[in-house]
Amino acid sequence: DQQVKQNSPSLSVQEGRISILNCDYTNSMFDYFLWYKKYPAEGPTFLISISSIKDKNEDGRFTVFLNKSAKHLSLHIVPSQPGDSAVYFCAASKVTGNQFYFGTGTSLTVIP
Amino acid sequence: DAGITQSPRHKVTETGTPVTLRCHQTENHRYMYWYRQDPGHGLRLIHYSYGVKDTDKGEVSDGYSVSRSKTEDFLLTLESATSSQTSVYFCAISEPSLAGVSEQYFGPGTRLTVT
């Protein structure tokens, strides 16, 4: 059973606008979350993380928001650039755990 | 970029043959992982290692075995390949922080086709 879900397989956004990628999880024990970006024929690369003691973490154009009560996190990219076009995976774990559980990914296309 | 290599990068094999994929790291990270990526499933953990000779199963471990005899190498073996094991395989490494688990860094992947 999928413990981390990304319900939007794809998203298209105009260059310069905001991209919002969503992720839901079912396991209330998860307390550490990450976003990865993946280009074709490459391995995923780490983007940004957030622990459950925070509800927001920012790194440049990327911001992750965590809503623990809704078991929901989102990644905001502002402004979106064509180079952001990739598949984005969210992942979740327990801080004291050894395993990460990944969502199925959202393919983002930023239109110039 | 983290120093992670995977070999081979591409492989075509026949059903029933054994296959071994290799992951090599130069970062001296304690944890190493094997994932497979399939359409509609994202990344699923096969096995992981938390030290030399210390390994554990992930969510899709059936049909796979692993070995780690040195910190830098983590091998994934398909004892008798099946068509359902056609996939892209990724190795990842991580070094837990004092607070606990931390981000993983991925290798470039191995595309395996079982005919």
Side-chain angles (χ1 to χ4, degrees), chain B residues 31-50:
Chain B
Y31 280 75
M32 298 185 76
Y33 305 80
W34 277 108
Y35 290 89
R36 58 178 291 175
Q37 184 194 5
D38 303 288
H41 290 280
L43 290 154
R44 292 181 292 174
L45 182 65
I46 304 170
H47 282 281
Y48 68 97
S49 168
Y50 47 96

Side-chain angles (χ1 to χ4, degrees), chain B residues 38-102:
Chain B
D38 303 288
H41 290 280
L43 290 154
R44 292 181 292 174
L45 182 65
I46 304 170
H47 282 281
Y48 68 97
S49 168
Y50 47 96
V52 173
K53 293 187 169 55
D54 293 321
T55 64
D56 206 349
K57 295 179 180 180
E59 57 182 315
V60 291
S61 60
D62 286 349
Y64 301 95
S65 63
V66 290
S67 66
R68 191 170 179 198
S69 59
K70 297 185 287 186
T71 299
E72 57 266 34
D73 290 325
F74 192 33
L75 303 180
L76 176 71
T77 297
L78 291 66
E79 301 291 346
S80 177
T82 67
S83 58
S84 65
Q85 293 176 313
T86 292
S87 186
V88 181
Y89 291 85
F90 289 101
C91 174
I93 65 174
S94 73
E95 183 60 38
S97 67
L98 290 175
V101 69
S102 64

Side-chain angles (χ1 to χ4, degrees), chain A residues 78-90:
Chain A
V78 182
S80 301
Q81 300 172 354
D84 296 329
S85 297
V87 177
Y88 289 79
F89 291 98
C90 66

Side-chain angles (χ1 to χ4, degrees), chain A residues 5-71:
Chain A
K5 299 177 184 179
Q6 293 177 256
N7 292 318
S8 298
S10 62
L11 175 68
S12 290
V13 171
Q14 287 292 133
E15 180 178 4
R17 306 295 292 268
I18 184 171
S19 295
I20 300 176
L21 297 98
N22 294 304
C23 179
D24 297 296
Y25 60 96
T26 58
N27 190 335
S28 58
M29 299 297 289
F30 289 151
D31 52 9
Y32 186 62
F33 306 89
L34 307 93
W35 283 93
Y36 284 84
K37 174 179 178 179
K38 185 183 180 305
Y39 292 119
E42 295 183 10
T45 54
F46 170 70
L47 262 181
I48 192 167
S49 63
I50 188 167
S51 73
S52 60
I53 62 174
K54 292 184 172 184
D55 53 18
K56 176 183 173 182
N57 190 25
E58 249 179 297
D59 184 0
R61 296 186 297 115
F62 301 91
T63 303
V64 56
F65 295 91
L66 175 62
N67 181 333
K68 292 182 288 290
S69 60
K71 295 192 184 71

